[in-house]
Amino acid sequence: MQSITCEKCEGSVPLGETLKVRGSAVCKACAESIFAAEKIPAKQVERQIDPTVCVGCGLDNGNAELTKLGQFPVCPACETLFKNRPFPGWVKAALVGMVVLVVSMMAWNWRFVRAYYELRCSMAAMNVGDLERGATHFMSVAKLVPENTDFMRACFCSTRISRLRP
């Protein structure tokens, strides 16, 4: 742990317990007296960070500086924890809930998905001139989505056209 001398009271304090106010390093007690006497903008105050003390667990590394993660010193154990943080339980539960919701909605609306597939097959058959197969697929669509009368009309028309064709 590194120590520094407070520029106001000239006492020796740990570096991690000091603030830099207008460029001068002062202890917390002196900083509070400065703040009480005058209003100082936040831009002119910054917290001092001791490069030998881990910000995660508070491990004191003596005089040797720790590796930095961003601008903060961390010990190897905390570095591993910060870099490989597991997802919280609520995030995992939300993901499972969303997957269950999506799967249940797909099952609930499967007839519409199937009707879309049948409609695409019908259009493909009609494009190559196979009206009978197209009419069959249109019939499937009409049965899957009976509330949509457009499919019924299209099914009726395609069936009549396929019967008229020689």
Side-chain angles (χ1 to χ4, degrees):
M1 181 180 304
Q2 294 180 350
S3 295
I4 194 169
T5 303
C6 174
E7 293 182 17
K8 188 170 182 187
C9 68
E10 297 182 3
S12 179
V13 290
L15 180 63
E17 295 179 12
T18 61
L19 296 170
K20 194 172 242 187
V21 180
R22 292 187 179 144
S24 60
V26 294
C27 64
K28 289 183 180 179
C30 293
E32 288 177 11
S33 67
I34 293 171
F35 296 146
E38 59 185 289
K39 185 168 175 79
I40 298 174
K43 293 179 184 177
Q44 295 179 357
V45 178
E46 91 182 58
R47 182 178 156 217
Q48 300 277 75
I49 299 173
D50 187 354
T52 62
V53 177
C54 177
V55 295
C57 64
L59 173 76
D60 186 4
N61 203 30
N63 290 330
E65 290 189 10
L66 293 167
T67 59
K68 291 191 176 193
L69 188 63
Q71 65 183 21
F72 301 106
V74 291
C75 65
C78 289
E79 182 179 10
T80 303
L81 177 68
F82 290 148
K83 286 184 176 179
N84 302 314
R85 184 166 298 282
F87 283 110
W90 69 268
V91 172
K92 292 176 186 177
L95 176 64
V96 168
M98 292 297 290
V99 168
V100 166
L101 184 66
V102 167
V103 169
S104 64
M105 289 297 105
M106 285 288 292
W108 181 268
N109 293 307
W110 183 250
R111 67 186 181 110
F112 296 108
V113 174
R114 183 75 182 146
Y116 176 74
Y117 172 76
E118 291 290 335
L119 184 62
R120 298 284 301 204
C121 290
S122 174
M123 293 300 178
M126 295 284 190
N127 285 339
V128 295
D130 190 357
L131 295 177
E132 283 189 36
R133 194 165 55 103
T136 305
H137 285 293
F138 259 133
M139 287 292 280
S140 296
V141 172
K143 287 177 185 173
L144 288 167
V145 189
E147 62 269 13
N148 192 334
T149 58
D150 293 337
F151 290 129
M152 280 299 216
R153 278 189 233 124
C155 177
F156 177 73
C157 292
S158 63
T159 305
R160 293 208 41 176
I161 291 171
S162 66
R163 285 185 190 154
L164 294 174
R165 192 167 184 213

